[in-house]
Amino acid sequence: MSAKKKQAELIEEISGVNPLKCMKCGKCSASCPSYNEMDIKPHQFVSYVINEDVESLVNSASLWKCLSCFACVERCPRDVKPGKLIDAARQMVVRQKEQTYLSPDEIPELLDPELPQQLLVSAFRRYRR
Amino acid sequence: MQELINRAKELLNDGTVARVLGWKAGDLPYNPEPAFFESAESLKDFVYNGFCGANLSKYMIEASKLEGKTLVCLKPCDTYSFNQLIKEHRVDREKAYIIGVGCKGKLDIEKIRNQGVKGIESIEGAEIGDGADELKIQTIYGEKTVAYADAMLERCHVCKGKEHKIYDEEIFESKETKDGERFDEVSRIEKMSPAEKFAFFQKELSKCIRCNACRNVCPACSCRKCVFDSNKFDSSQKANVDSFEEKMFHIIRAFHVAGRCTDCGECSRVCPQGIPLHLFNRKFIKDIDELYGEYQAGDDTDSKAPLTNYTFEDAEPSIVGKRG
Amino acid sequence: MQRIGVFVCHCGSNIAATVDVAKVAEMALMEPGVVHAEDYQYMCSEAGQAKIADAIHEKKLSGIVVCSCSPRMHEATFRKAAERAGLNPYMVEIANIREHCSWIHKDMEEATKKAVILMRAAVAKVNLNTPLQPGESRVTKRALIIGGGIAGIQTALDIADAGYEVDIVEKTPSIGGRMSQLDKTFPTLDCSACILTPKMVEASAHEKINIYTYSEVENVSGFVGDFTVDIRKKARSVDMDKCTGCGVCQEKCPSKKAPSEFNRGLNNRSAIYTPFAQAIPNVPVIDREACIKFKTGKCGICSKVCQAGAIDYEQKDEIITEKYGAIVVATGFDTINLEKYDEYAYSQSKDVITSLELERVMNAAGPTHGHLERLSDGKAPKEMVFIQCVGSRCADDRGKPYCSKICCMYTAKHAMLIRDKYPDVNVTVFYIDVRTPGKNFDEFYRRAVEQYGVNYIKGQVGKVIPQPNGKLLVQGSDLLDNRQILKEADMVVLATAIEPNPDVRKIATMLTASIDTNNFLTEAHAKLRPVESPTAGIFLSGVCQGPKDIPETVAQAGAAAVKAIGLLAKDKLLTNPCTAHSDELLCNGCSTCENVCPYGAITYEDKEVNDHGIREVRRLAVVNSALCQGCGACTVACPSGAMDLQGFSNRQIIAEVDAICR
Amino acid sequence: MSIENKNFRPKIVAFCCNWCSYAGADLAGSSRLSYPADVKVIRVPCSCRVNPMFILRAFEKGADGVIMCGCHPGDCHYSTGNYYARRRMTLLFSMLDYIGVENGRTRVEWVSAAEGVKFSDTMNSFVEKIYSLGENVRLGDLRCRS
Amino acid sequence: MYKIAKENLSALFRLIADSQELYLPVKTAGQVNFAAWSEEADVALDALKTVKSPKDAFFPQSEGLYTVRREGKKMKVEPESLKEADFVVFGMKACDVKGLEVLDNVFLTDPVDTFYAARREHGTVVALACHEPEESCFCKVFGVDAADPAADVAAWMIGEDLYWKALTEKGEALTGKVKELFSDADEGEVEAEKEAIHAIVEKLPYMNLSLEGWNGDALSEKFDDKLWEELYKPCLACGTCTFVCPTCQCYDIKDYNTGNSVSRYRCWDSCMYSDFTMMAHGNNRTSQMQRFRQRFMHKLVYYPANNDGMYSCVGCGRCVEKCPASLNIVKVIKAFQKQGGEK
C-alpha cells in the first residue's frame, strides 16, 4: 500500500467519515464562515481525501483556518462532514509533531479551573469519537 | 379436613355438583391417589394432607365432558393451571365448582427417604390442620423425625404464593413456604461453561427412561395426541438407542409448553429418576420474563401468550450469545 | 411409492460448466422412487418441456424433480408443463442448482456433490408430495380506489370505462388531489385546472363511478376477489341530496378564521366550506372544530340562509360496508415537515415558502389572487432564490434518501413563469444536479436558462438568514466558480422533498400490503410487476409507489386499471392450494393458531368427530383456505402438530433436512 | 475447541423464506457471490414456518450448523411471521445454549431480496464459525454419523 | 462360603472387571441404577431398590437388531451380533432374580429370543440378600425369599463383611476367578442375618396380601368386572410402572433412518401407551381403562394361565414407590379383595 493511500485511510479512520458518500452538493462550503480565508474549500476536502492527496490538505492554509464550528458537520445531508475530515488532518499533523496527544481519560485529571471553557469544548469535540 | 368433607357432602346433596374430585387415602401413609367421589358416603375415604401434591386441574379436562358440575379441590398453584386450561378451551369453567384448598407446602416422599428413613409405618404432622414444623415417622426400624421444610417438594420452597387465582370458595388457611428464589438454580447453570452445562444435563438426562410421566402429568401437555405419539414428525415417544432422543424430547416438550407452563412443578415431582425437569421450563420462563416482560401463565384467562405475541423491538436471537 | 423423474438442466453452460450434470442424473437413479433421470441443454425450452411430457407418459411418472435455476424463475413453467402432460402441477419440485450452486461454486467436484444433495432433497420432498387442487373463489366485480387525486381518478375512469363498478374513497371534501392545487404543469405549461377539472367532472358523472368524499377506509378484510371494506363517511353536516351548491352559506358564515388546507394555510376559509371553487362534489362541509354552532351551540346562520334546508347539524358518521374484487391504492403524497431544516428559516420568515405554496401564490384563486408578492408585507419581490433538494437525497434522518424527482422540473417551471410574467424579477436557482430525464424536459430546463435568463448556480445553500430590513440573506457557494455567495433575496422558495401520504402506513396495514422503509408501497416486482402489490388484488397507482410526475402517474394509473380489469374480468379465481389445514383428530381447539394467524383465516367450530370409535363433539380449528396465504405461522404455534401446511408439510421439510444431512 | 478431523467438512442447513431470503440467495447466485458449498438451502414460505423441531432434527441427523434467514422485521410478506419466528428462535437458541450446545451453531439473519451481498457474507462468516467450532458432537444421533 | 471385608470390595470389582463387564448399582445424579462399574463410579450397594430394575442387563431398554444399508439400488442387511462376552451383574435382589425367571419363561421358550438367550448365557448373577426390606416390598406374597436369593452367587452384607456363596456352575466359575480375595467363612454366620430379614419381612404392611381369586382361570370374571372403571381413573397413562418393573417384557420394534441406512431396534413398550400393540387397522385397546386392565390382567391372570400359575409380578414394590398417581398392583389386588368381601 502506498504511503499516500495509507494517509488517506488514516484520515478516514480518525474521522470515521466515508468520503465516497459525498454527492458534491457544496452545502458545506455554503455554510463555512472561514470560506474566504481557505485555499482549499470545505467541499474540496472530500476530493482531496478521495484522491489520496492528504499532503496538500495537510500543507494547506485551510487546515488552520477551520474554526471547528461544525456548521458543515451539522448541515451535511450525506453524513460526510468535511469538518471532521479537516480535523482528522490536523490530528495527523499533531501526532506527527510531538506524539504527545492526550487520551480522553487523561483529561479530567488535568482540568484546571483557570482553563478557558472554549478550549475544553474544543478538546472534547475532538475526542468525542 | 372434616370441614371440607362436610362442604362437599352439602354440595353433592343439594345437587350443585355431581361428583367431587379430590384425593383418596392410600394404603401407605404417603400415597393418597386422585379420585372422583360420587356419593356422600364414599367421601369417608377423602383425604387432604401434605402428600396430596397432585395437580387435579388436568383431570378436569376429562371431567369437563361429564354431565353436571365437578367439585374440584385446587391448591393455590393448581389454580394457575386451571386458568391456563380455560384460556386454551380445554376445561369448561361452568362445569367446575372450585374449592380453593389452602396449602402448607406439599411433601416429597423421596426427600424423606433420602434422609435415611426406611420401612415407614405411619407419619404424623402431614395433616393440613397441623401446620406442624416436624414430621414424626414411625418405621420398622424405629421412630424418626424430619423437619417439615426438609421434606417439602422443591416447588414449595419457591412457591408463587398462596393466593387462589380462581375459585368458588376457599377452605383452609395456607402457610407461606417460600424460602428460596425461583430462578437461582437456572442462573447457576447459566453461569457454567458450555462443557459444564453439557455435562450437567447429560448426566441428568441419561437417567431418563422415557416413561413420559412428566408429559402425562403436565396440565400444559394436554394435547389429545402428543406429537411424540404421532407418526407425523417421525419422532418416537419410546426409548431410542442413542441418547439424543431424550434431549430432543425434553427440549421440544419444554418448548411446546413455553409461555403456557405455569411452573406447577408436577414434572419434577413425578419423575421416577428425580430429573429436575422444571429447570427446562423455568429457563424459558426466565428468558420470557427477561426478554419480553414478566409473564405468569395462568395468572388470567385472556392475556396474550408470549409466543403468540411480539413487539417490533423484540430482542434478536443473537442476544443469546451476547448475554454472556 | 412415487415414480419420480429427475430432469437435470445444463442451462447452456450456466450449470453444465461447473456441475457434472450427467453425474447428477446418474446419481438420481440411485434415489428411492426415481425411475427416470436425464439431462438436457435447456429444460425450460419447448424441447425440454417435451422431454418432461414424454417421460411422464412413457414412464408413468407420478412426480418430477427439475434440477435447474431458481424455482422463483421457472417453477411455474415446469408446473404448467407437467399439468399439460396430465400430472398434477404440485407434484413438481425444483432443485436450484444454478443460483444456489453452479453460479457460486468454482470447483466442479464440489459443485457436483452439492447439486446431488440438492437433487436428493428435492426427490425426498417429492416422495411425500400429494396432488393439490387449487380452490376457487368468486370475484366481486367492483373496484375500490383509495384516494381521489389524478391517479385515483384516472384509474377509476379506466376501470369504469371497461364496464366495472368503481368506488372512489377520498379523505378530503373534494376529489382532485394535489394536482388541483397546482397552477401550471410542466413541460407544456398548461393550466392544471383546465386539464384536471374535466376529468373530475367526467368521473363524477360516470354512471359506473361512485365517489365517497370526506370518507376514509376503516377496515379491510377478505382477500383477492372478495374484499370486504368498511368505509367511514364522516359527517358533512350538509345533506348532499338537498344542497344546490349555491355558496351562500360560505359567504354568510361568521367564522372565517380556519386556515385553508387547499391554500396550504396561506389564508383562511370559513367554517362551512368547499375546498375550492371547482370542488366535486360542490357540496360544502362544516368544519366542526371551527364552527361556532358546534363550539358554543349558538349561531346556526348557515342553516338560516340555506334555502334548500340542506344543513344538518345532527348528521353522524356513517359506516358503509361494501364488497370489492380489487383495490387500488392511490393515496398520493405530501411535502415533508421542514422543522428539521431550520437553516433555511422556513419557520422564521413568511417569505420563505415551499414550492407547493408558491403554486398557490401564483394561482389566480390563491391567497394573493395570482400576484407574486411577499407574504410578509405584500411587496413585489425583486430577487427570488430557489433552493433545490431540500430534504431529498439526504443520508441522515432529517430528510429522505431518495430523489423527489419532480422538483427540478417544477422549479424550472416556476422560474420561467416568474421571469415571463415579471421580467424585472431576478431568479436564482441553487442546485446540486439538474435532473431532466423525460420527454421535452431538458429542452424545457434549457429554455429557462437560455430564453428566460434564470441564473442557475451549482451549490447547495448553507443558510438563509432573515435580515432586519426584511430581506433574506442567502449564503451559498458556487462550486464551479469556487466562491462563496452571499445574496440578499426577497423571497426564497424551497423545493421540499415529497413523502407518501402519512395515512398510507395505516392503509397498508389494513391491506397487508408491504411498504418500504420510506413508506412507499412495495411493488410485486421492481421491473416486471410495477403496479401490483405483492398482496394479491392490491394495485398501486401514483406517488404512493414512488415519486413521479403527472404524465407518469397517469400512465401508471392506466396500468393499474388494466391489472385490476384483468382481475375483475375473471368470474372465478384459483386459490393457492398451499394452505394450512388442521387434522381434526389431533386438534385441541386451544386457539393458539388463531392467535398467530395474520389473516383471520382460522375459526373454531364445535364438531362431532369419530376418534377411533370415540364419538364426541370437539372444538376444532377450521382453516378458510381462501383466506389462508400459507405462511405456516400456525403450524409451528400448534402444540399438537395438528396444523400442517400443504406443499410445505412437516414431513416434507423433515425429509429435506434428512436428505441434506445424510 | 480444536478441529480433530482435518478433512472436516461441515453440514450446514439454511432455512430461507421464499419471499426475501431465498430471493436474496438467488441474487447472491446471479451476482456470483460465492460462499462455501457446505451450505444447503431449504425453501420455506416464511421464517415462521420453521419449527424448532426442524432445527433439532437437522442436528440429530448430523448437521453441524443451522441458520435461518427471513425478511427483515417489518418487511414480512405475511406481515408478522418473522416476529413470531424471532421469539421462537431466540428461546430455542437460548435453550440450546443452556444445555451446553455451542452457541455459534445456530444463527438467525434477516436477509432481504435485495441483499445478495449480505446473504453471501452471512454464509461465509457462518461457515467459518462452524469450522472453528468443529464437528457437532453434543446434539446429534451418533448412528447418523457412521 | 467365603467372605470379604467391605473395604476390599473395590478390589473385588476391579478384579472382576479385569476379565469381564461388571454391572452393579451406581449412583448417578442422585439416583441409583445398575450401570457398568468403573473406578469413578459411585457404587451404592446399600440402596435397597434401584430405580430401574436390573432387567436391562439381559433385556436392554433398547437394543439394535439389524441394520439395512443401501448400496446403490440394492440393500445389504447387517445383523447386530449377539452378546459374546461374559459379564457379571452384582447386587441383584431376590425379587429381581425371580423377575429373570419370569422373563425366561417368555424369551427362552420356543421361539427362543436369541438376543436375550445370549445375554442369559453370558451373564452371571451375584445376588444380594435384602438387609433392610421396606414398606413397599411384598416379595413374600409371590414366594420370594428376600433373605436367600437364588442366583449364580448369593451374597449377604453383614456388619463389615460380604458373604459369598456360589450356587451354580457359573457362580463357581466366577468364584474361582476372584477367590484370591476371599477368606473362608462358615454358613452359620449368615443364618442370623437371614432370620433378622425374615423377622422384618413379617412386619411389612403388604406381606399378608392375598392373591385369592387371581389365577389363570379368572379371565372372564375379572375382565368384565366393573371395578376397572373406577380403578383406572387416576392413571395418567405414563409408562413408569412398566419401565421400573423387573418383569414387564413387552417391547416394540422400530426403525431408525440414519439417512444412509435403516437400523431396526427394539425398545421396551408399555401397555399404558396409546400406541401399544398398534396395528394397521388401529388399536385394539382404545381406552385407558382397557390399557390399565391389560397390565394387571397380564400380570395376574394371562401370565399364570400360560406359565403354570406363576405370576408375572415379584413384589419388588417399585411401582408402589414410583407411580405418579400413587396407583399400583397392590391397590388393585386389594380393591378386588375388598369388593369380594362386601359382596
Side-chain angles (χ1 to χ4, degrees), chain B residues 2-46:
Chain B
Q2 201 52 45
E3 191 187 351
L4 177 53
I5 294 174
N6 290 344
R7 184 66 186 130
K9 279 184 182 165
E10 263 173 53
L11 290 163
L12 269 175
N13 288 338
D14 70 13
T16 309
V17 300
R19 68 195 69 75
V20 176
L21 172 53
W23 298 266
K24 189 168 135 187
D27 57 355
L28 294 173
Y30 53 78
N31 70 347
E33 72 207 53
F36 289 95
F37 303 87
E38 300 202 336
S39 66
E41 201 271 319
S42 65
L43 281 166
K44 68 179 190 310
D45 294 331
F46 185 99

Side-chain angles (χ1 to χ4, degrees), chain A residues 5 16 25 32 47 54 56 67 69 82 85 99 103 110 115 118:
Chain A
K5 189 162 184 190
C25 73
C32 183
S47 43
V54 178
S56 305
L67 301 171
C69 76
L85 288 178
Q99 303 276 315
S103 92
L110 299 172
L115 249 107
Q118 197 94 40

Side-chain angles (χ1 to χ4, degrees), chain B residues 197-198 233-234 240 242 244 247 252 255 279 283-284 287 306 309-312 314 316 320-321 323, chain D residues 52-53 56-57 60 80 83 86-87 90-91 94-95 97-100 103 110 138-139 141-143:
Chain B
K197 288 174 185 172
F198 184 73
F233 277 89
D234 190 16
N240 211 327
D242 191 271
F244 171 80
K247 272 176 246 167
I252 290 293
F255 193 87
L279 292 179
K283 167 64 177 167
F284 278 140
D287 278 348
N309 204 356
Y310 61 87
T311 67
F312 301 124
D314 279 347
E316 292 296 325
V320 174
R323 282 190 299 192
Chain D
M53 253 173 146
L56 294 179
R57 175 76 170 205
E60 173 190 357
T80 53
Y83 289 125
R86 184 164 63 177
R87 284 198 170 189
T90 305
L91 290 184
S94 177
M95 178 55 80
D97 176 66
Y98 182 65
I99 65 160
N103 180 254
W110 311 118
R138 292 191 177 159
L139 202 61
D141 194 310
L142 294 177
R143 287 172 292 180

Side-chain angles (χ1 to χ4, degrees), chain C residues 203-329:
Chain C
S204 76
H206 203 296
E207 56 168 357
K208 295 279 187 189
I209 297 179
N210 179 28
I211 300 171
Y212 295 110
T213 49
Y214 209 48
S215 301
E216 287 180 55
V217 172
E218 184 101 336
N219 187 46
V220 180
S221 60
F223 47 93
V224 55
D226 193 20
F227 294 105
T228 305
V229 180
D230 292 341
I231 299 163
R232 177 179 291 272
K233 266 184 88 171
K234 290 177 282 188
R236 224 178 166 98
S237 315
V238 175
D239 189 322
M240 303 247 322
D241 296 328
K242 291 185 186 157
C243 176
T244 59
C246 69
V248 175
C249 53
Q250 300 182 54
E251 266 169 47
K252 302 288 182 196
C253 177
S255 167
K256 290 203 160 57
K257 292 272 167 61
S260 160
E261 293 86 353
F262 187 74
N263 284 329
R264 305 297 290 178
L266 298 179
N267 67 352
N268 293 332
R269 57 159 170 79
S270 47
I272 185 165
Y273 72 105
T274 47
F276 55 102
Q278 301 79 20
I280 284 182
N282 184 19
V283 176
V285 170
I286 296 181
D287 173 356
R288 292 187 175 186
E289 304 280 303
C291 173
I292 298 165
K293 170 82 178 170
F294 278 98
K295 283 198 292 192
T296 67
K298 291 174 195 140
C299 185
I301 290 174
C302 50
S303 177
K304 283 171 206 145
V305 300
C306 180
Q307 295 194 341
I311 308 294
D312 179 4
Y313 299 121
E314 303 299 315
Q315 214 178 54
K316 290 204 164 53
D317 287 8
E318 191 187 337
I319 302 285
I320 297 162
T321 302
E322 189 69 73
K323 285 198 163 267
Y324 300 98
I327 298 178
V328 183
V329 188

